[in-house]
Amino acid sequence: MSDLEEFRNEVGTTGSVCVKGGGTRWDVGGEVGQGVRVVSAPSGIDAYDPAEMTVLVGAGTTLTALAEVLAEHRQEVALAGPVGSTVGGALAVGWNSIRRQRVGFARDALLQAECVGADGKRFKAGGPTVKNASGYELCRLLVGSLGTLALMGRVILRTTPIPEWSLWLRGSVTPADVVKSCYRPASILWDGSYSHVCLEGYEADVQREASALIDSGMVKVQGPPSLPPHRNRLTGDLPEGAILDVAIGVAHCPEAAAIQCVDPAVKCIADRMKANFDPHRRLNPNRDPYSVPA
Amino acid sequence: MVHKMPSGTDELIADLADAIGAGRVTAGGAAREIYGRDSSIIEGGHSGPVCFPESTRQIAECVRVAVAHGRDFVPRGAGTGLSGGAVPCNDPVVISTTRMNRILEVDVERRIAWVEPGVINLDLSRHLAGTGLHFAPDPSSQQACTIGGNLANNSGGPHCLAYGVTSEHVAAIEVVLSDASTVLLGAEVGDAVGYDLRGAFVGGEGTLGIAARIAVRLTPDPPVVRTLLLDFQSLVDAAETVTGIIAAGIVPAALEMMDRNTVEAVENFVEAGYPRDAEAVLIVELDGLEEGVTHEIKIVKRVGNENGVGTVRVAADDVERELIWKGRRNAFGAIAHIKPGYYLHDTVVPRTRLAEVVAKVNEAVERHDLIVANVFHAGDGNLHPLMAFDPREPGVMERVYAASEEIVRIAIEAGGVLSGEHGIGLEKRGFMPLLYSPDDLSAQRALRDAFDPVGHANPLKMFPTGSSCGDVMHLAEVPEGVWV
Amino acid sequence: MSPRGRIVLMRAAQTGGVDCDDEWYDAMETCMQCRGCEAACPAGVPFGELISGTRSAMSAVRRAPVHLRVGLWALTQHRLLLFGSRILAVLQRLRVIPRVGFLPRRLPLVGSRLSYRADGDVILFTGCVMDVWQPEVHDACQYVIEVTGSTVARSGPTAGCCGALHEHAGLHGTARRLAKQVVQALKGNEPVLVDSAGCGAALKAYGDLLGTPEARTFSDRVRDVHEWLEERMESLPSLPDGDRPGVIVQDPCHLRHVQGAHMSLRKVLSQYVDVVELNDDGLCCGAGGSYSLLQPELATAARDRKVDLITKASGLSGAELVVSANPGCSMHLAAVGLDVLHPMQVLAEVLEAGIDPEGVRDGQ
């Protein structure tokens, strides 16, 4: 509890403030301006009961540190990010894992968030249990909000079991054909010529599905291909050098796509949301979840 | 007593009829009687005119006219909600989506279906028969409840243990807001840009606007499904088995528990072959690929044996499997074989504390001289303690309310929450401060006001408020001879 | 409108909480009385009793439309029915009358082509309109029963109409009178077999309707023909392996929800054909006794839905035959050009072809 209180004090009640995690995706949605106070969320794992499949963790904890602890009990979370990313950063950006079909959406991983609001008061969103329909879905609103509504200090995440077996295959089988011969591949990536498929589950099942793909010309590979840095929603043809995450419909591209105009009706709700949570626009100023390629 | 409509209602009805056609508006006593309630035990709601729009534009027209007359509006699906979310307060315009029941488009390749909000949950999966896909959320009322209602309550069901609640299966929503404008939230593909307003809208209980078209995600049918029935001589053993299965790294497709009273009542109706002499029965459904399912069956049996399981029955075929599920789905209603009335609670507790919480709940209910039956989604700790009583018995309701409050407090004290899938509605709005501080609630209020700044969308639901809802109490009188 | 909603309104009418205006009447009159809600109700709410009591009370206040009353009266007049129907059949063939929705497109000119006897091991209940409009169903039924080695007597005009439609329409008095007539005419101990689901359900309910020991004893003798055959499967011949036709089964509400005999039907049929399910939990086709005449719009909507399901099932399975064990359903569906047979007709056909591949059954 003490570190949360410290976090609240750091955020304070006035002046522009941003919270920085690993800084690995610091430019998503625009960089914060000059003269903005930078604070850090608490880090460390506060409670973890593998049988409950939830973990209480400081938002400043790195994904790697969390993954290490969870892996001891063969569990993981749905969050994804480059080396050095923090839990809070991954939630604020809200990108889904390429293994989304296996681990789920990032936004569904957040069960509870203890936050500091723009008024400098602490509040709690969601609840500690794996299922909760008590009140509004604030947690989902916070994921992907780039810290513009509130600053997350400590969160409870849902964990999932790490599969017994996992392997990647690559070959010219189309994603549509992969889907036909596999039940629920953890990931299907498509680079325009080749599919990169991740199969996960029990060893015998994975091997059986893999052998069907191998029969159609796919080969086992070490892991996923390296992904280009920019995430664009796929509209039209897949650009040169891009890799499509088939399940999510996101294209990992060498170039950032143009930022699309937001439907004014959506922007209208978003603006009211921002005004209601942060009327003086002091939280992560200049960062805008709508200023991302679409 | 026939409730009188407030003044100006005639003009309101005329304007609604002008806007969407007289055949889509009704304001007679019969309609108001029916639309004055949902499937909760909450009585005393009063509906104003009831509208049956058939398009997004007509929904918007209903909203526009209602707000222009200074009236609130209450969206309504099939009225199967259990927390009073659709119970109208202060003669609002009730907007029923039941005539908007078309499945607009099914894209098998992209696994998306666009549906109107009045499509019945089970009808969608039936419609998908032969495609190898289904709609995963499966509340027990799935034969009757609508997808719009599922969305409003972020409904669960037994299979949300493995597949997730409704929110995870909604890609995009066309919403009519309280200013009668229409907006598309979420996206069929890609990570939606900006705030997850789609996610915020789901579970909004109709207080944020009305879903007019919904893009739902479809889930592939598992190649192998096995349903197991385990019986135990003690509830604690059954609960330990639940914890043991999860701790072994298995997330079953469903993991349900029923206690002795429930089994007794259900067997009278379905004869599903549940062992009547057991103190607790677990339904464990495992699905996926052959080897994995076989392996998991072994683990479930081992964990069961470690916890003193009586017998483990694996359903031999689809007929037996369906019978086991039929029993589970009808468990609430079957309680009428014990007493004519029931009041069902929905709370969630940490799944490792199930046994302890159920024991405390049972003790509390029995102390109030009521019969308790437990049937619940054990896998995610979602309790459904159910109090059976005869509402004609003098003073019984006071005991029911007292026991209810204790149940909620027991759950919160154990680190739980108010509701897992039935929502807050009118029923539990008074309990919100038990779980949330004033600052927590302010944040929720900020979300609500962003969608509905004028406050005409299903007001008085969800938040504890001083304002009364006509003569509705947070738990009001049960009608005589209640069957629901 | 849900059964729950209707119960709320019934109760409100009882306590004076609501005016029994047109809307209220409409709510009660739009119930198809399929009783699917009863089969689905885990609490065992006797909705059938509630709605028929309500309809009965309603009929005391508001009379049914004149065409319905004339129609229901005609059902009780077997000779008139036969005579009128034959005239209509002739007129149909002369193309001097337009097609009327509920009438079969081609009324039969002659009745049963099978000889039958005054006493038998079982009595086949022949009813009113079915005897006149679908005599071939009774013939098929009799053929199948006889294949098992039993002899068949027919209830005939003395027993007459079962009164199901009258009870359905709230004409409680007439229904009781007709029930007494049936019980009186069919004394004895032999089983009374019924091939119309609506009639069967009515006959089985005579015990409650009349409340007399005779009526109860009578009701205990009543069996849907499929239930009776299910217990005698060993008496039915096993046929050489051959093509098993796919047959789409449309469950009449009164077979499935009221009598619960739909599984017997499947068991009997599936010995010879591949049963194709509609997977709609026995949703009503919209015929609903006289419902299709009184609420044409809703009945048509229900039928459209059923036809869609049948088309889809046919597409998925390749099955072309559709069966329904109730004349009301088959006529309602036939009105949109769907050929619906009685399960006994399919069975008779298959058995006959299997037993005597060269021969042709008498009268077919």
Side-chain angles (χ1 to χ4, degrees):
Chain A
M1 292 303 266
S2 59
D3 51 359
L4 264 185
E5 205 41 35
E6 205 174 295
F7 180 57
R8 187 183 72 84
N9 284 330
E10 275 184 42
V11 173
T13 55
T14 54
S16 297
V17 59
C18 68
V19 64
K20 191 163 184 174
T24 57
R25 288 167 284 186
W26 197 232
D27 55 348
V28 173
E31 288 183 51
V32 292
Q34 294 291 312
V36 176
R37 204 148 38 79
V38 179
V39 299
S40 298
S43 69
I45 294 169
D46 291 351
Y48 172 41
D49 181 354
E52 202 57 57
M53 297 188 72
T54 60
V55 59
L56 175 67
V57 60
T61 314
T62 62
L63 291 180
T64 322
L66 175 61
E68 263 174 39
V69 173
L70 298 181
E72 286 171 26
H73 296 275
R74 296 203 58 79
Q75 292 185 357
E76 60 181 334
V77 291
L79 304 183
V83 177
S85 316
T86 60
V87 166
L91 288 168
V93 174
W95 289 357
N96 292 307
S97 159
I98 53 168
R99 292 169 54 242
R100 196 276 279 176
Q101 291 283 71
R102 166 83 200 183
V103 296
F105 290 102
R107 62 184 185 231
D108 297 325
L110 181 62
L111 299 173
Q112 178 182 291
E114 290 168 274
C115 305
V116 178
D119 57 2
K121 288 181 180 167
R122 276 168 57 181
F123 75 88
K124 187 180 71 185
T129 53
V130 291
K131 195 174 176 189
N132 184 8
S134 323
Y136 295 100
E137 293 282 348
L138 275 176
C139 282
R140 287 194 169 85
L141 183 67
L142 291 171
V143 176
S145 68
L146 295 176
T148 58
L149 299 177
L151 306 180
M152 283 181 263
R154 185 164 65 171
V155 298
I156 297 180
L157 301 173
R158 178 199 302 280
T159 67
T160 60
I162 292 178
E164 179 186 285
W165 206 256
S166 169
L167 64 85
W168 280 88
L169 298 135
R170 176 179 179 277
S172 56
V173 182
T174 65
D177 287 334
V178 172
V179 169
K180 272 182 209 147
S181 66
C182 302
Y183 168 45
R184 289 176 91 182
S187 182
I188 304 177
L189 306 174
W190 171 248
D191 64 12
S193 311
Y194 293 95
S195 284
H196 306 253
V197 179
C198 180
L199 298 176
E200 295 188 330
Y202 289 97
E203 184 184 352
D205 291 329
V206 170
Q207 298 290 17
R208 176 164 307 159
E209 286 198 330
S211 64
L213 292 179
I214 289 166
D215 287 347
S216 29
M218 296 192 82
V219 292
K220 287 186 196 173
V221 290
Q222 280 306 307
S226 66
L227 299 175
H230 299 283
R231 294 164 60 92
N232 305 330
R233 189 189 308 181
L234 183 68
T235 46
D237 293 336
L238 193 65
E240 189 64 32
I243 294 178
L244 175 69
D245 185 333
V246 176
I248 312 179
V250 165
H252 297 261
C253 301
E255 307 291 333
I259 288 165
Q260 301 281 316
C261 247
V262 183
D263 174 1
V266 171
K267 199 69 175 62
C268 185
I269 305 174
D271 288 346
R272 281 200 298 260
M273 196 70 79
K274 174 70 178 172
N276 290 351
F277 277 89
D278 180 17
H280 305 294
R281 310 183 69 81
R282 59 181 293 254
L283 304 180
N284 281 294
N286 286 341
R287 292 197 85 177
D288 179 1
Y290 288 91
S291 291
V292 298
Chain B
M1 281 298 293
V2 177
H3 174 78
K4 292 276 172 285
M5 293 262 224
S7 65
T9 299
D10 289 343
E11 293 81 354
L12 172 65
I13 295 168
D15 286 354
L16 285 168
D18 269 354
I20 64 167
R24 299 189 182 92
V25 183
T26 165
R32 285 185 296 128
E33 185 70 28
I34 294 168
Y35 294 93
R37 65 187 75 219
D38 60 8
S39 297
S40 66
I41 65 170
I42 293 164
E43 278 264 295
H46 288 297
S47 124
V50 183
C51 301
F52 301 91
E54 292 177 37
S55 65
T56 303
R57 196 192 59 78
Q58 287 182 0
I59 292 182
E61 282 296 289
C62 297
V63 170
R64 182 185 61 77
V65 173
V67 174
H69 281 261
R71 292 289 189 93
D72 302 327
F73 62 91
V74 174
R76 180 186 175 97
T80 56
L82 291 166
S83 63
V87 172
C89 305
N90 304 333
D91 308 273
V93 172
V94 170
I95 301 177
S96 165
T97 58
T98 47
R99 286 195 201 167
M100 292 183 68
N101 59 358
R102 282 163 298 188
I103 295 166
L104 302 169
E105 186 192 328
V106 175
D107 186 333
V108 172
E109 195 155 311
R110 285 161 58 224
R111 295 180 177 167
I112 294 268
W114 275 99
V115 301
E116 291 186 330
V119 170
I120 291 172
N121 176 298
L122 193 57
D123 282 357
L124 177 58
S125 286
R126 284 207 176 116
H127 181 83
L128 294 167
T131 62
L133 300 172
H134 69 283
F135 181 56
D138 61 340
S140 293
S141 56
Q142 69 178 150
Q143 269 192 321
C145 64
T146 63
I147 292 177
N150 295 162
L151 188 148
N153 285 290
N154 198 7
S155 301
H159 288 84
C160 75
L161 175 60
Y163 293 97
V165 291
T166 300
S167 182
E168 299 184 34
H169 304 279
V170 172
I173 322 164
E174 181 178 81
V175 171
V176 175
L177 298 169
S178 58
D179 62 1
S181 67
T182 302
V183 57
L184 182 71
L185 307 178
E188 281 181 65
V189 289
D191 293 336
V193 166
Y195 297 134
D196 184 9
L197 298 176
R198 172 214 63 87
F201 184 85
V202 176
E205 300 189 9
T207 65
L208 307 178
I210 305 182
R213 288 194 312 139
I214 307 162
V216 296
R217 289 180 200 284
L218 306 175
T219 306
D221 300 341
V224 178
V225 182
R226 293 276 181 277
T227 306
L228 284 68
L229 198 67
L230 290 76
D231 59 85
F232 296 87
Q233 278 314 314
S234 103
L235 211 95
V236 174
D237 289 344
E240 291 298 334
T241 304
V242 171
T243 308
I245 290 171
I246 302 286
I250 298 179
V251 180
L255 181 41
E256 301 285 306
M257 196 191 295
M258 289 191 275
D259 68 5
R260 184 185 205 111
N261 279 347
T262 311
V263 166
E264 192 71 35
V266 170
E267 273 297 294
N268 286 334
F269 171 58
V270 289
E271 292 171 18
Y274 299 143
R276 284 180 192 254
D277 55 349
E279 281 304 316
V281 166
L282 284 184
I283 301 172
V284 185
E285 188 154 286
L286 303 165
D287 70 10
L289 296 165
E290 190 68 54
E291 301 285 345
V293 171
T294 310
H295 176 72
E296 290 184 345
I297 290 176
K298 278 188 209 139
I299 295 179
V300 169
K301 284 182 175 166
R302 175 175 58 76
V303 175
N305 284 330
E306 285 165 9
N307 291 289
V309 68
T311 55
V312 181
R313 184 177 125 200
V314 184
D317 52 26
D318 283 352
V319 176
E320 191 178 350
R321 172 172 175 256
E322 177 49 32
L323 206 56
I324 289 176
W325 278 114
K326 187 177 179 192
R328 166 61 189 88
R329 277 196 300 272
N330 288 290
F332 302 145
I335 297 299
H337 292 280
I338 302 177
K339 290 274 182 182
Y342 74 69
Y343 179 36
L344 166 68
H345 258 284
D346 165 46
T347 62
V348 192
V349 298
R351 44 195 160 192
T352 47
R353 298 185 67 177
L354 274 177
E356 162 204 343
V357 172
V358 171
K360 277 188 189 166
V361 165
N362 287 356
E363 186 276 322
V365 177
E366 279 159 9
R367 185 157 31 76
H368 289 281
D369 201 15
L370 296 162
I371 295 172
V372 63
N374 281 286
V375 45
F376 55 94
H377 311 304
D380 39 28
N382 191 179
L383 294 180
H384 287 330
L386 184 153
M387 290 171 275
F389 57 89
D390 186 339
R392 290 163 295 198
E393 213 177 287
V396 71
M397 291 319 294
E398 284 70 27
R399 303 208 306 274
V400 169
Y401 300 148
S404 298
E405 184 156 347
E406 276 195 54
I407 290 174
V408 172
R409 286 184 188 278
I410 290 166
I412 304 269
E413 275 163 22
V417 296
L418 293 172
S419 168
E421 53 184 13
H422 298 175
I424 299 299
L426 287 172
E427 181 204 19
K428 284 184 175 154
R429 57 178 191 160
F431 292 132
M432 286 286 270
L434 284 182
L435 185 62
Y436 297 116
S437 73
D439 291 331
D440 300 345
L441 290 172
S442 301
Q444 297 200 26
R445 170 64 73 182
L447 183 155
R448 178 177 182 150
D449 291 348
F451 280 94
D452 176 26
V454 293
H456 279 302
N458 203 10
L460 307 176
K461 310 292 163 65
M462 200 90 100
F463 287 128
T465 157
S467 35
S468 76
C469 171
D471 44 6
V472 175
M473 310 290 285
H474 75 277
L475 287 172
E477 286 299 303
V478 178
E480 216 175 295
V482 67
W483 282 301
V484 289
Chain C
M1 178 70 58
S2 67
R4 263 186 195 169
R6 291 196 174 93
I7 291 175
V8 164
L9 289 182
M10 289 174 199
R11 192 194 292 133
Q14 213 171 14
T15 58
V18 68
D19 299 325
C20 294
D21 51 11
D22 285 351
E23 209 179 312
W24 188 91
Y25 268 84
D26 200 46
M28 297 305 151
E29 282 166 358
T30 50
C31 173
M32 296 185 197
Q33 301 188 57
C34 69
R35 291 167 67 180
C37 58
E38 260 184 57
C41 180
V45 175
F47 187 82
E49 266 173 48
L50 297 173
I51 189 76
S52 76
T54 307
R55 293 287 279 262
S56 177
M58 284 161 62
S59 73
V61 182
R62 282 194 192 183
R63 302 195 70 187
V66 69
H67 67 283
L68 177 67
R69 277 184 283 134
V70 171
L72 291 175
W73 171 78
L75 297 184
T76 67
Q77 312 294 317
H78 197 268
R79 275 167 200 284
L80 177 76
L81 199 60
L82 199 61
F83 180 66
S85 172
R86 297 263 157 87
I87 290 178
L88 282 174
V90 173
L91 294 177
Q92 268 184 342
R93 279 161 183 75
L94 296 173
R95 298 176 197 278
V96 294
I97 50 167
R99 265 171 58 183
V100 180
F102 66 91
L103 280 182
R105 273 178 302 171
R106 206 174 156 81
L107 286 165
L109 274 167
V110 290
S112 170
R113 302 180 184 211
L114 286 191
S115 58
Y116 47 89
R117 33 200 290 168
D119 57 356
D121 300 332
V122 300
I123 299 173
L124 178 63
F125 184 79
T126 47
C128 51
V129 66
M130 197 172 168
D131 202 21
V132 177
W133 286 351
Q134 299 184 341
E136 68 279 9
V137 171
H138 291 327
D139 287 357
C141 200
Q142 181 175 338
Y143 173 80
V144 175
I145 298 169
E146 284 171 354
V147 167
T148 68
S150 296
T151 55
V152 180
R154 294 200 181 191
S155 64
T158 340
C161 175
C162 69
L165 291 178
H166 306 81
E167 176 70 8
H168 211 85
L171 303 174
H172 200 60
T174 318
R176 282 173 59 94
R177 185 171 59 71
L178 291 169
K180 279 181 197 155
Q181 183 180 314
V182 172
V183 174
Q184 189 66 31
L186 303 180
K187 285 197 166 140
N189 296 318
E190 55 289 48
V192 177
L193 304 191
V194 193
D195 55 9
S196 149
C199 304
L203 262 54
K204 284 181 176 178
Y206 279 179
D208 293 331
L209 182 70
L210 298 176
T212 61
E214 298 79 43
R216 287 189 204 290
T217 315
F218 175 82
S219 285
D220 289 345
R221 288 164 57 207
V222 177
R223 314 282 283 152
D224 181 81
V225 66
H226 304 95
E227 293 177 306
W228 187 85
L229 285 171
E230 186 193 3
E231 292 159 8
R232 284 161 189 79
M233 295 286 281
E234 73 288 349
S235 313
L236 287 168
S238 40
L239 300 180
D241 289 343
D243 278 348
R244 291 164 60 90
V247 175
I248 299 169
V249 175
Q250 194 284 120
D251 283 321
C253 299
H254 283 75
L255 190 76
R256 179 164 176 152
H257 306 316
V258 183
Q259 297 191 63
H262 57 300
M263 292 315 289
S264 304
L265 181 153
R266 283 160 176 69
K267 209 162 161 201
V268 174
L269 270 194
S270 59
Q271 189 170 338
Y272 303 102
V273 305
D274 288 332
V275 170
V276 177
E277 297 286 353
L278 290 178
N279 287 325
D280 61 355
D281 287 339
L283 198 76
C284 184
C285 68
S290 47
Y291 190 83
S292 55
L293 300 181
L294 297 173
Q295 303 285 343
E297 220 172 285
L298 290 169
T300 304
R303 178 171 59 198
D304 289 349
R305 192 178 156 137
K306 184 63 90 176
V307 171
D308 279 352
L309 282 164
I310 291 174
T311 313
K312 199 171 164 198
S314 175
L316 285 172
S317 66
E320 283 168 2
L321 291 172
V322 185
V323 296
S324 183
N326 192 47
C329 308
S330 52
M331 289 196 298
H332 185 56
L333 292 169
V336 282
L338 210 62
D339 254 334
V340 182
L341 295 171
H342 192 281
M344 285 300 116
Q345 288 176 283
V346 172
L347 200 58
E349 198 84 26
V350 172
L351 285 173
E352 191 180 33
I355 294 168
D356 180 10
E358 303 303 317
V360 178
R361 181 159 53 95
D362 185 19
Q364 292 285 304

